[in-house]
Structure formats: C-alpha cells, structure tokens
Amino acid sequence: MAAPEVEMQDAKPQPLACDLGHLLCTDPNPLPSLTSAPTPADREAILASTARDCAQTLINQLLTNCPISRSEGEDLQITLPAPEYQLPREKPVPKEKEKTKWEKFAAKKGIQKKRKDGKKVFDEGKGDWVAKYGYKGKDNEGGDWLVEVDDKPENAGAKESARGKVGKKEVRKRG
Amino acid sequence: MLPIREIKPKNARTKRFLDNKAPQQNENARQTLFLRYTSTSEITNLLTTDLCSLKKPLSLKFNKKNSIHPFEDASSLEFFSEKNDASLVVYSSTSKKRPHCLTLVRFFGYKVLDILELLVQEDTMRTMSQFKNGTARVGLKPLLSFSGSAFESPTANAYTLAKSIFTDMFKGEDVSNVDVEGLQYMMHFSVDEEEQENVKPMIHLRCYLLRTKRAPNSTLPKVDVEEMGPRADFRVGRVQEADPEMWKEAMKKPKSQEAKTKKNIETDIIGDKVGRIHVGKQDLSALQTRKMKGLKRSRDVADDEDAFTGADDGILFVPEGGGDKRVRMEE
C-alpha cells in the first residue's frame, strides 16, 4: 500500500480519472480561485500543486495497473491499455475493396482457396524435413534397393503395382 | 484553389508514399503544421516555436506569411493540410481586435472539422528558454492532465473542444508500450471557474518535468514537478464546432477495432469472471447411487426392476439432459 506521502496531499471531493492509453489524467474538481492569490508566484504554486497531484495519480496508476516488463536492453517497459477517450479520426475509415469477378464467383460457388501443401514433409525417423518425391524423396525411401531380375512375363507390371500408382490414362487404355 | 490532382503511382516508392497517406484502419499519428498570418507578434512566434519543438518530430513549421482568415474561408488551410498530410494546423496571427491569437484547426479527410481560437495573455507568457530546469528529450510521449470542471462539462462547449484538440495535438503516437525512462514531462491544462458573467474563464498551459524520488516504505515513487515551459494563459475566442454529420463520420470505428462481445462469458456482481460451458448429455444409466443393504440386488430379482428402485432415491441433482455448467474462469 502507498505511504501517505505518495497519496494526495489533501483529499479531493471527486476522484481523478485516468485514461492510461493516452497517459491522460482528468481532474474534475474546480481549480482553487486564482484571483484570490495575491502574487503570480502564489498562482503558480496552486497550479503546480494540482499538476503534481495529477502526475502522482497517473504514475501510481501506471505502476499498479499496467504490466511492466524488462526487455533485453535493460529498460523497463510499461504496457498500456487501449485508450478510452475517443478522438475523431484523421481520415475516413477505408472502404472495403471491391471483390473481383472471380472472388464473387468463388463465393457463390463456395470455392475456397486451397493452400499449397509444400514440397516437403516431416520425417519423424530422421527428425528432419524431406522431399515428398524425387531425389531422396519420401515416396521411394526404404524401397527395394536390390531387385532380382524376373524372367517371367506375368510379373512385368510389378514395379508399378508395388507403388500402387496407375495413371488415369493408363487405366483408360487398359479398360 | 484547385484540388490536388490524383496521382497514379509509377514506381514502388511513390506507391508506398501514397499508401501511407491514404486512409488506414489504424491511423498514423497526426502531423501538425504551424503557419502564420501576415502579421504576428513576438509572443505568438516564441510560443509556436516552443510548441513546435515539443511536438517534434510530428510537426512542421512554415515561416512564410499567409493571408488566411480561417473562420471566413479555410480553403487555403485545407490545401495546406492535404499537401503536407497534416491534420492539425496552428495558425498564429495578431491584430488590434485579436492580439496574440493562436487558431487551432483540426481536419478530417483534409476538410476542416473544428476550429478553436485562443488569445495568448501577454503578461504571463514564458518560453522554454526562460526556465533553467532543463528540458525533456525530443519526441517523447508526454503525460497529459486536465484540471477544472469546465473540461468535464456534459454538454459540448469550447472547453470540451479544447480538451479534445489539446489531447489530439499532444498525445503523440498511439503506442502499446512506453519506456519508464520516457515518462519525463507532463503537460498540464487547467481552467478557472467562471466567476463573472460574460467573462470566459482562462485556460492555463503549464509544462512540468517530473522528478521521482523513492518514497519510504512504499513501492511507488514520490513525484515532484519542476516547470519546464512554455507557460501560457489563453482566453478562448471564437469557436467553430464540428458539423454533426462530419463528426459522426469521424468518430466511426473501423470494424477491426470494435470490441467483440464474447459469448457465454460474464462478470458477476463481485467482479469474478464466470463462463458457461456445454457439458453434453450425461449418461445416467451407469450412475452409482447410495448403497444400502435393502437396495442390494438379490439374485432372484430381474435386472430391470433393480434400475427402477434406484431412481426415486431423491439425492440426485443432475440437470436433465445436456445442460449448462457454470465454471469460474482463471484470468
């Protein structure tokens, strides 16, 4: 808890409100009358004390309500919340881009964008990414590196059937 | 004046520049342009120089004289705004009728949104160089504070407008992180109470450096202020409030910034966050009820009879069917 010195010097009738997103503090209490202050120095003292209370409140709020992190550069960073006091925009909200003819058509048909799967897959045995196919590819790894020459003609399609791959064209030709 | 013709980017650099200038979801910080009328006073010159240096690097100062009357015809200001991509203009002028006058103009889409005229009081004005306490580093985000009841008026008036414009002007860039070292100075705006009829209360601008000391038996520091300057007292002059249509347009939030309401999460009276989750339909067939000797299944009784005796025991408080379950949530 804060020591009394850190608190306001005299309690104010209305609490000060803080908007930490803007580092903004609002003190709704009426200012002590400056005309009653005889010299300009007294007036400045009044202003300085109200300013001090605002600063103290703001710093207290910042240090108690905001997460503080220390980055690698040895400086303390305070994470601020989003501002509450809304200010007008500088420029109008950007309009949404008009959909292209293809995008409209795709939406109507329910066609969704397909992400490319990439050419590599993760090999858990190796613990590394390997090519799906081709040189050192996943599809022909662990295959028979030594194959006996088969003289019999009925086993001519063995290589293809072992891979389980028969092209569409091939099927049509055969059927 | 003719509007600036639309440029179609011919290379990537121009495109980047134009994209940066175009309306954006999350906007850039406002640039402030300092301009002067054909006649200005020493007071306004010194003050605008100081304000410009406080606002660096989001400020731009032109020294050439212009003959613009913002309340009568602001089209030249709009041109300046568009040309320099500055959505705030501080226009200094002096005349017999309005001595030491600063006109703050805010723009929306390069069109004038609102105008506030401030008359600097000659006797109390002090520049930054007149204070020997040192200055804050350039380009820091200042702390802002507004004291006085007029700034908090529920109805829009010159003072609520002043608060809005001052905040907009000095808040700097919108950031999610600030360095503790960067909290070096505070701009304090205060307004007097209305004491006489027909005399508008004055706005006092003071800038203070913050000095923090370690307070005994407290984790929080004790803050002290030292004046840094500039110091100025303003009397409020003419005001042009925003056109309601335009204001509404300017206060619109883009869809991405609207706060989404989360379903099934509430905060109760104590302030605890409570969520409801769907637990699915419960399977009551395998439920274990109270074990009693009398209810024990005898060997010669059929199974279906046994299931019936367990049901009227009256100790089950299970919602019928699938139900909602209240769960306290960890934050």
Side-chain angles (χ1 to χ4, degrees):
Chain A
M1 282 290 105
E5 282 173 272
V6 180
E7 298 272 304
M8 294 306 99
Q9 276 165 349
D10 43 351
K12 303 213 170 185
Q14 290 179 70
L16 310 190
C18 288
D19 181 356
L20 298 178
H22 286 315
L23 298 177
L24 174 76
C25 174
T26 45
D27 174 7
N29 301 295
L31 208 67
S33 174
L34 293 185
T35 44
S36 61
T39 62
D42 292 342
R43 266 172 244 165
E44 289 311 316
I46 292 173
L47 289 177
S49 83
T50 51
R52 199 208 73 85
D53 288 349
C54 289
Q56 182 76 64
T57 314
L58 208 50
I59 296 277
N60 285 0
Q61 290 271 330
L62 276 172
L63 294 179
T64 49
N65 294 352
C66 294
I68 301 172
S69 57
R70 186 181 284 275
S71 63
E72 67 278 7
E74 283 295 300
D75 45 354
L76 287 172
Q77 293 273 334
I78 301 181
T79 308
L80 301 177
E84 287 158 26
Y85 182 55
Q86 206 197 339
L87 293 164
R89 287 178 63 86
E90 182 186 19
K91 285 160 199 167
V93 177
K95 283 182 197 115
E96 265 184 46
K97 248 188 191 170
E98 208 185 326
K99 278 186 176 173
T100 59
K101 207 169 173 186
W102 161 251
E103 279 168 342
K104 274 181 205 159
F105 177 74
K108 198 172 137 198
K109 283 276 185 182
I111 303 168
Q112 284 179 343
K113 268 188 183 170
K114 216 159 65 177
R115 273 189 70 189
K116 276 191 179 171
D117 292 336
K119 286 180 182 172
K120 290 199 164 179
V121 280
F122 193 72
D123 190 335
E124 287 186 0
K126 282 182 190 168
D128 197 14
W129 292 85
V130 293
K132 268 186 191 169
Y133 51 86
Y135 178 60
K136 287 186 179 175
K138 179 99 174 163
D139 63 339
N140 53 14
E141 80 176 357
D144 304 330
W145 59 275
L146 185 68
V147 183
E148 227 176 286
V149 176
D150 202 349
D151 296 331
K152 287 171 193 166
E154 62 254 31
N155 266 349
K159 195 183 169 195
E160 235 170 39
S161 59
R163 279 197 181 181
K165 274 185 193 169
V166 179
K168 271 184 193 169
K169 264 188 185 171
E170 202 67 20
V171 171
R172 213 179 298 147
K173 239 189 262 173
R174 283 182 198 174
Chain B
M1 220 172 281
L2 284 168
I4 300 168
R5 80 195 152 82
E6 209 164 288
I7 313 156
K8 209 174 178 198
K10 280 183 184 159
N11 55 33
R13 186 160 56 119
T14 327
K15 187 168 187 304
R16 275 199 300 276
F17 173 80
L18 289 175
D19 284 347
N20 185 44
K21 204 177 160 181
Q24 286 167 24
Q25 292 253 321
N26 299 320
E27 300 199 289
N28 300 332
R30 280 178 189 265
Q31 188 91 16
T32 307
L33 184 63
F34 290 82
L35 293 174
R36 55 170 293 185
Y37 181 57
T38 46
S39 66
T40 52
S41 62
E42 191 64 27
I43 300 263
T44 56
N45 289 350
L46 289 169
L47 187 59
T48 47
T49 311
D50 276 1
L51 291 179
C52 185
S53 72
L54 272 184
K55 267 203 59 71
K56 263 178 194 168
L58 295 171
S59 61
L60 199 61
K61 191 164 188 273
F62 287 171
N63 291 321
K64 209 169 178 182
K65 294 171 182 176
N66 302 286
S67 179
I68 304 169
H69 299 269
F71 284 91
E72 281 139 45
D73 180 20
S75 58
S76 315
L77 286 179
E78 285 169 357
F79 176 81
F80 272 115
S81 161
E82 183 164 5
K83 188 85 181 164
N84 299 293
D85 194 20
S87 54
L88 276 168
V89 166
V90 177
Y91 186 69
S92 54
S93 63
T94 195
S95 65
K96 201 171 173 186
K97 195 173 177 187
R98 297 193 178 81
H100 320 302
C101 175
L102 287 187
T103 314
L104 311 181
V105 191
R106 182 160 58 176
F107 295 85
F108 172 65
Y110 311 127
K111 292 272 169 283
V112 170
L113 182 69
D114 36 27
I115 310 180
L116 173 71
E117 198 175 61
L118 299 170
L119 304 168
V120 184
Q121 300 302 297
E122 204 172 344
D123 44 342
T124 50
M125 157 52 201
R126 299 281 181 282
T127 63
M128 280 165 102
S129 54
Q130 282 171 294
F131 294 95
K132 300 298 173 208
N133 291 332
T135 50
R137 256 188 293 148
V138 174
L140 292 177
K141 197 173 161 74
L143 274 63
L144 299 172
S145 60
F146 290 87
S147 302
S149 52
F151 283 131
E152 294 308 301
S153 153
T155 55
N157 60 14
Y159 295 94
T160 55
L161 176 64
K163 183 183 173 189
S164 173
I165 291 185
F166 280 135
T167 312
D168 227 347
M169 187 178 274
F170 293 107
K171 76 183 162 81
E173 214 144 331
D174 278 327
V175 287
S176 55
N177 272 324
V178 286
D179 204 329
V180 177
E181 292 289 306
L183 304 173
Q184 288 187 353
Y185 74 108
M186 182 169 87
M187 301 192 77
H188 181 243
F189 300 89
S190 45
V191 60
D192 292 339
E193 291 309 299
E194 198 169 335
E195 281 162 357
Q196 292 161 314
E197 288 284 316
N198 304 327
V199 177
K200 280 186 181 173
M202 271 207 280
I203 298 176
H204 309 278
L205 160 67
R206 299 289 182 274
C207 298
Y208 298 99
L209 285 168
L210 303 181
R211 302 281 184 227
T212 49
K213 280 181 212 143
R214 183 165 293 197
N217 55 46
S218 165
T219 52
L220 298 169
K222 180 173 157 46
V223 180
D224 257 325
V225 292
E226 270 176 18
E227 195 159 2
M228 169 180 95
R231 175 198 288 181
D233 291 341
F234 302 112
R235 227 167 246 303
V236 176
R238 290 174 292 175
V239 169
Q240 182 183 312
E241 276 176 17
D243 176 45
E245 272 299 291
M246 203 178 191
W247 184 258
K248 203 177 147 197
E249 190 67 26
M251 294 304 259
K252 259 188 194 165
K253 274 187 179 174
K255 267 183 189 167
S256 64
Q257 283 174 18
E258 273 168 13
K260 263 189 187 172
T261 49
K262 279 187 181 161
K263 255 173 98 180
N264 299 344
I265 294 178
E266 295 148 35
T267 316
D268 62 8
I269 326 155
I270 312 160
D272 284 338
K273 209 173 182 185
V274 172
R276 276 182 298 128
I277 55 171
H278 192 74
V279 291
K281 202 162 192 175
Q282 276 185 321
D283 184 18
L284 300 181
S285 61
L287 197 76
Q288 175 70 59
T289 56
R290 182 185 283 175
K291 282 181 181 170
M292 272 157 61
K293 217 172 185 182
L295 290 174
K296 214 169 189 182
R297 181 173 52 162
S298 57
R299 291 211 181 120
D300 46 284
V301 178
D303 269 8
D304 54 300
E305 215 173 304
D306 166 69
F308 184 73
T309 48
D312 56 6
D313 215 20
I315 53 158
L316 301 178
F317 298 102
V318 180
E320 269 177 58
D324 282 347
K325 193 174 185 182
R326 290 184 157 260
V327 178
R328 182 145 302 162
M329 301 186 48
E330 294 295 321
E331 276 180 82

